[in-house]
């Protein structure tokens, strides 16, 4: 991973330089005032700070300053990606407009330069606004028939959520909305199928308040969870994860958080609920590989169970589906 990061660093720096040059050209087309070098000192300084923010955060000690720098870095990477896609697309289309199409001289004017820049800016802004969709909670209903008759039980409603990714960008506000939507479902059981955290526990701004919000989840049989591949302590730089010592992956604060939130973790474990159905939570295979851990096979998990009763498996990365179904 370190080698990949080192190899990609020049690409990242060139991408930032390329974007800066393109934005400068567009701004100059609108405002001749910016055609002198000295007027670009501040914009260049700001762009340099933004482009290095997540690197600065990576080496900072845990604390509020690191949180702020991480947030700035995360948002900058998103902006960079979408603006870069728009600008590169415009540059790829430029030969077509400037050399191939009729009236090609029209496309080489300053006015068209301004227009092209506005189109790129508008496109990038619209795509970024699409991120609002991530704040909207959608409920998708499924009906699942289990061919096992249980006396007195006709149906059960289970709410499944996954990939909460609590951290720098997801916290109290989003969890309050999530809890409200879940409680509206009047569920018999709530299960959280992994990736509760986003690798770095310290990314959660107010873990006590967030846990208190999750404690207000309501269901007849309680709230259960299993681990996902991001539910471990792992340094992240620009989306790349860096290996820890094996003993440092398992952050006890994550376990304590779930306990505080009244969420029962099933880590390759099975519970009999209300004496009429089983719930099994599997270990995550990716998490196991990083920690040199192993997880039980489906037949091991079900060996001692009464198979005349329904058995529900909870798995962050569902696999071995034939074995589980059998």
């Amino acid at each position: 991973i370190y080698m990949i990061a080192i190899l990609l660093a020049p690409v990242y720096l060139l991408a930032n330089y390329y974007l800066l040059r393109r934005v400068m050209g567009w701004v100059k087309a609108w405002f001749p005032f910016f055609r002198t070098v000295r007027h670009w000192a501040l914009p260049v300084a700001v762009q340099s700070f933004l482009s290095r923010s997540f690197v600065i955060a990576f080496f900072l000690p845990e604390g509020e300053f690191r949180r702020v720098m991480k947030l700035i870095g995360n948002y900058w990477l998103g902006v960079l990606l979408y603006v870069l896609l728009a600008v590169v697309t415009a540059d790829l289309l430029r030969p077509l407009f400037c050399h191939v199409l009729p009236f090609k001289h029209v496309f080489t004017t300053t006015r068209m330069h301004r227009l092209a820049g506005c189109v790129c800016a508008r496109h990038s802004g619209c795509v970024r606004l699409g991120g609002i969709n991530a704040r909207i909670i959608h409920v998708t209903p499924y009906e699942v028939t289990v061919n096992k008759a249980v006396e007195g039980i006709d149906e059960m409603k289970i709410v499944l959520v996954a990939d909460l990714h609590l951290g720098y960008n997801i916290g109290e506000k989003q969890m309050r909305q999530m809890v409200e939507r879940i409680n509206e479902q009047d569920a018999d059981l709530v299960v959280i199928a992994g990736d509760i955290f986003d690798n770095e526990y310290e990314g959660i701004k107010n873990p006590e308040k967030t846990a208190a919000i999750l404690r207000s989840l309501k269901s007849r049989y309680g709230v259960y969870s299993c681990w996902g591949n991001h539910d471990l302590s792992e340094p992240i730089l620009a989306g790349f994860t860096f290996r820890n010592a094996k003993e440092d992956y398992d952050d006890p604060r994550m376990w304590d958080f779930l306990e505080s939130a009244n969420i029962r973790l099933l880590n390759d474990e099975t519970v009999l609920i209300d004496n009429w159905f089983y719930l099994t939570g599997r270990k995550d295979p990716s998490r196991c590989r990083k920690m040199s851990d192993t997880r039980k096979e489906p037949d091991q998990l079900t060996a001692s169970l009464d198979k005349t009763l329904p058995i529900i498996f909870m798995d962050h990365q569902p696999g071995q589906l034939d074995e589980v179904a059998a």
Side-chain angles (χ1 to χ4, degrees):
I1 291 295
Y2 283 105
M3 184 58 66
I4 293 173
I6 291 170
L7 291 173
L8 287 179
V11 177
Y12 173 73
L13 293 173
L14 284 172
N16 276 277
Y17 176 73
Y18 166 75
L19 182 61
L20 179 64
R21 293 281 299 181
R22 283 289 174 259
V23 172
M24 286 173 66
W26 176 50
V27 172
K28 287 176 184 178
W30 278 102
F31 307 105
F33 172 78
F34 280 100
R35 288 179 181 172
T36 56
V37 175
R38 58 194 175 92
H39 293 125
W40 279 95
L42 182 59
V44 169
V46 170
Q47 200 259 8
S48 298
F49 168 74
L50 291 173
S51 63
R52 290 163 175 78
S53 53
F54 64 87
V55 179
I56 296 170
F58 185 77
F59 293 102
L60 285 173
E62 186 176 330
E64 187 60 25
F65 185 43
R66 179 179 176 178
R67 277 189 51 77
V68 172
M69 294 302 294
K70 277 271 189 178
L71 279 170
I72 293 172
N74 288 346
Y75 282 115
W76 170 250
L77 285 173
V79 170
L80 175 68
L81 173 64
Y82 291 117
V83 176
L84 202 60
L85 284 171
V87 173
V88 168
T89 302
D91 274 354
L92 290 174
L93 291 174
R94 182 188 296 181
L96 175 66
F97 284 99
C98 295
H99 302 290
V100 178
L101 294 179
F103 310 108
K104 51 183 177 287
H105 62 280
V106 174
F107 299 102
T108 59
T109 63
T110 300
R111 184 178 179 183
M112 289 305 298
H113 191 178
R114 293 173 183 171
L115 179 61
C118 290
V119 170
C120 289
R122 182 178 179 275
H123 169 76
S124 302
C126 288
V127 175
R128 285 298 297 162
L129 285 174
I132 294 173
N133 187 56
R135 308 293 183 184
I136 302 172
I137 301 170
H138 301 275
V139 178
T140 305
Y142 297 91
E143 289 189 5
V144 179
T145 300
V146 179
N147 296 316
K148 294 181 180 181
V150 179
E151 187 177 351
I153 305 295
D154 294 322
E155 62 180 17
M156 178 175 66
K157 180 184 278 189
I158 302 174
V159 169
L160 164 68
V161 295
D163 297 87
L164 299 179
H165 286 278
L166 295 173
Y168 293 102
N169 296 92
I170 303 295
E172 299 167 62
K173 181 181 178 181
Q174 293 83 5
M175 287 306 99
R176 192 172 286 108
Q177 294 171 341
M178 182 73 73
V179 168
E180 288 173 359
R181 291 305 304 275
I182 291 173
N183 288 343
E184 288 173 5
Q185 307 307 311
D186 190 25
D188 294 303
L189 179 70
V190 175
V191 294
I192 307 175
D195 278 3
I196 301 158
F197 304 98
D198 198 28
N199 291 90
E200 297 172 296
Y201 181 82
E202 63 268 18
I204 308 174
K205 187 174 183 179
N206 293 305
E208 295 82 8
K209 290 183 180 179
T210 306
I213 292 168
L214 290 170
R215 274 201 304 275
S216 62
L217 283 168
K218 298 174 183 177
S219 68
R220 182 180 179 186
Y221 297 123
V223 183
Y224 294 82
S225 70
C226 64
W227 286 139
N229 56 299
H230 285 275
D231 293 318
L232 40 71
S233 179
E234 198 170 33
I236 300 176
L237 177 62
F240 291 95
T241 55
F242 292 80
R243 292 190 64 85
N244 266 338
K246 292 183 180 67
E247 62 271 14
D248 292 334
Y249 275 120
D250 207 11
D251 192 330
R253 295 175 297 179
M254 294 182 179
W255 295 74
D256 294 341
F257 178 93
L258 294 186
E259 185 177 353
S260 173
N262 285 342
I263 299 172
R264 181 170 176 182
L265 177 71
L266 298 179
N267 200 33
D268 257 10
E269 300 170 75
T270 301
V271 291
L272 176 62
I273 298 177
D274 201 30
N275 291 315
W276 74 269
F277 74 95
Y278 293 102
L279 177 64
T280 295
R282 301 200 73 185
K283 290 182 178 180
D284 180 74
S286 299
R287 193 175 186 273
C288 286
R289 281 194 297 271
K290 289 182 178 181
M291 299 177 64
S292 298
D293 194 8
T294 57
R295 69 174 188 165
K296 295 177 182 177
E297 294 298 314
D299 57 352
Q300 293 177 296
L301 289 165
T302 59
S304 61
L305 307 186
D306 178 0
K307 296 181 182 61
T308 64
L309 298 179
I311 303 170
I312 300 167
F313 267 63
M314 179 172 48
D315 194 352
H316 179 65
Q317 302 183 71
Q320 299 179 291
L321 297 183
D322 292 336
E323 294 90 333
V324 172

